[in-house]
């Protein structure tokens, strides 16, 4: 798991540092920011600690109605939750009582022109992504028609060549060879590169390619939610299933189950086309459609006649 410091968010979101320049190396421990409300008035044991506290217009206007000493008392309630920093939104004027108390307690106070809603959403998304548990797997990650796919298989089976064909059809490369998987939630797995292999695709007999330089910015995407795990395998005679609907299988990464499909390779087989079909079929299934169910409904009248 990667760490995020206050200095990181200051740089990322171009925040103004009002006080606490010497405390910017503090490490964030929680991924969600908090907006104080009743916490100004009293301390609640059930409130989570160590969250960034963000102050919107209502909170700042309230603090401006207080004297410096009263303001310190209210801020003291928030400080009990051990916030790594406090962010003032909408470029509001900072209450002097807030700055004085936070200076005494070594808590950085930052300011942004963004609204509270905008800043909360951006900061939550950024910190959650950076601090998410992650693993690296051998494979290729592509985005096919907006659907993130992890391609796996033995070395030399043709993963990168298949990705190259998909790029030629208008789809996008995420990562080649090493794919970094981040667990954003119990149901969400994000695929991305490791920075070093960003935009690069290695093809046997050709060498290393920069897909952005060759095919334009549209050939590459920084990250994508993983919807399908597709394993490319060698052709095995009499091993293909021909049922109307195969039983759904899953591959689990960090306890996140991902639908799994196996595609066997054979000269002349349109593997890229099969991957496109798999992606589009997955999308239809998310909409509640099943081709097998529709086909069986069409056969129902014949079954009834036979009976």
């Amino acid at each position: 798991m990667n760490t995020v410091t206050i200095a990181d968010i200051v740089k990322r979101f171009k925040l103004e540092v009002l006080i606490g320049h010497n405390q910017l190396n503090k490490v964030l421990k929680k991924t969600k920011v908090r907006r104080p409300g009743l916490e100004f008035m009293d301390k609640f044991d059930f409130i989570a600690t160590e969250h960034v506290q963000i102050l919107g217009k209502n909170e700042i206007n309230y603090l401006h109605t207080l004297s410096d000493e009263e303001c310190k008392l209210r801020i003291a309630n928030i400080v009990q939750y051990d916030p790594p920093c406090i962010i003032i939104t909408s470029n509001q004027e900072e209450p002097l009582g807030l700055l004085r108390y936070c200076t005494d307690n070594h808590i950085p106070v930052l300011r942004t022109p963004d609204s509270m809603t905008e800043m909360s959403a951006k900061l939550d998304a950024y910190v959650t992504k950076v601090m998410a548990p992650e693993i690296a797997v051998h494979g290729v990650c592509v985005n096919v028609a907006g659907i993130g796919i992890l391609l796996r298989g033995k070395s030399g089976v043709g993963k990168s060549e298949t990705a190259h064909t998909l790029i030629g059809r208008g789809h996008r490369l995420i990562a080649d060879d090493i794919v970094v998987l981040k667990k954003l939630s119990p149901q969400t797995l994000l695929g991305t590169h490791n920075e070093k292999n960003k935009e690069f695709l290695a093809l046997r007999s050709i060498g290393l390619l920069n897909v952005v330089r060759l095919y334009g910015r549209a050939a590459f995407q920084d990250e994508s939610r993983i919807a399908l795990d597709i394993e490319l395998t060698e052709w095995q005679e009499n091993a293909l299933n021909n049922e109307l609907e195969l039983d759904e299988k899953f591959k689990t990464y960090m306890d996140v189950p991902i639908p799994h499909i196996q595609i066997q390779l054979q000269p002349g087989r349109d593997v890229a086309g099969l991957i496109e079909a798999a992606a589009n079929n997955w999308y239809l299934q998310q909409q509640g459609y099943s081709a097998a169910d529709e086909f069986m409904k069409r056969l129902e009248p014949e079954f009834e006649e036979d009976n």
Side-chain angles (χ1 to χ4, degrees), residues 118-131:
E118 292 172 333
M119 190 67 233
S120 295
K122 292 194 296 187
L123 185 55
D124 280 347
Y126 169 71
V127 176
T128 297
K129 187 186 302 180
V130 175
M131 294 177 60

Side-chain angles (χ1 to χ4, degrees), residues 194-213:
N194 64 3
E195 291 295 338
K196 296 178 182 177
N197 63 350
K198 180 179 180 179
E199 302 176 356
F200 288 122
L201 181 68
L203 299 179
R204 292 175 184 270
S205 303
I206 302 298
L208 201 61
L209 306 179
N210 185 311
V211 298
V212 172
R213 294 293 184 93

Side-chain angles (χ1 to χ4, degrees), residues 18-19 40 42 77 88 121 125 128 167 186 204 216 285 294:
L18 299 178
I19 60 170
F40 272 137
D42 201 355
N77 288 335
I88 298 174
T128 297
I167 291 171
R204 292 175 184 270
Q285 289 172 347
E294 182 179 359

Side-chain angles (χ1 to χ4, degrees), residues 88-283:
I88 298 174
T89 60
S90 301
N91 268 346
Q92 298 174 91
E93 181 182 352
E94 66 281 7
L96 293 179
L98 169 65
L99 295 187
R100 289 170 181 166
Y101 192 90
C102 290
T103 298
D104 294 340
N105 289 272
H106 310 291
I107 298 173
V109 177
L110 315 173
R111 183 161 57 190
T112 175
D114 291 339
S115 69
M116 189 217 51
T117 302
E118 292 172 333
M119 190 67 233
S120 295
K122 292 194 296 187
L123 185 55
D124 280 347
Y126 169 71
V127 176
T128 297
K129 187 186 302 180
V130 175
M131 294 177 60
E134 65 179 47
I135 59 173
V137 299
H138 176 66
V140 178
C141 186
V142 289
N143 184 283
V144 177
I147 298 167
I149 296 177
L150 179 62
L151 296 178
R152 297 184 299 106
K154 294 180 180 180
S155 180
V157 77
K159 301 181 295 295
S160 298
E161 289 83 352
T162 301
H164 183 259
T165 301
L166 288 167
I167 291 171
R169 296 186 180 188
H171 306 297
R172 296 179 175 183
L173 174 72
I174 307 293
D176 180 43
D177 191 37
I178 299 296
V179 180
V180 177
L181 299 178
K182 290 177 172 284
K183 180 181 179 180
L184 301 187
S185 77
Q187 299 82 32
T188 307
L189 201 66
L190 189 74
T192 186
H193 50 79
N194 64 3
E195 291 295 338
K196 296 178 182 177
N197 63 350
K198 180 179 180 179
E199 302 176 356
F200 288 122
L201 181 68
L203 299 179
R204 292 175 184 270
S205 303
I206 302 298
L208 201 61
L209 306 179
N210 185 311
V211 298
V212 172
R213 294 293 184 93
L214 280 176
Y215 305 114
R217 176 52 55 184
F220 175 78
Q221 186 169 315
D222 203 52
E223 59 192 25
S224 183
R225 178 178 177 177
I226 302 298
L228 284 173
D229 176 88
I230 296 181
E231 183 181 9
L232 304 182
T233 65
E234 297 177 356
W235 183 269
Q236 299 177 30
E237 293 292 341
N238 302 318
L240 291 178
N241 294 303
N242 292 312
E243 291 89 346
L244 294 180
E245 185 111 318
L246 298 174
D247 293 334
E248 192 170 18
K249 298 180 180 179
F250 294 89
K251 176 70 175 178
T252 301
Y253 300 93
M254 294 180 288
D255 297 323
V256 180
I258 304 297
H260 168 77
I261 296 173
Q262 186 181 92
I263 295 179
Q264 294 189 19
L265 306 179
Q266 189 181 51
R269 201 170 194 213
D270 183 9
V271 178
L274 292 174
I275 292 173
E276 289 176 322
N280 291 327
N281 193 49
W282 175 89
Y283 177 78

Side-chain angles (χ1 to χ4, degrees), residues 302-307:
E302 297 183 16
F303 292 147
E304 292 174 356
E305 290 179 2
D306 292 339
N307 294 330

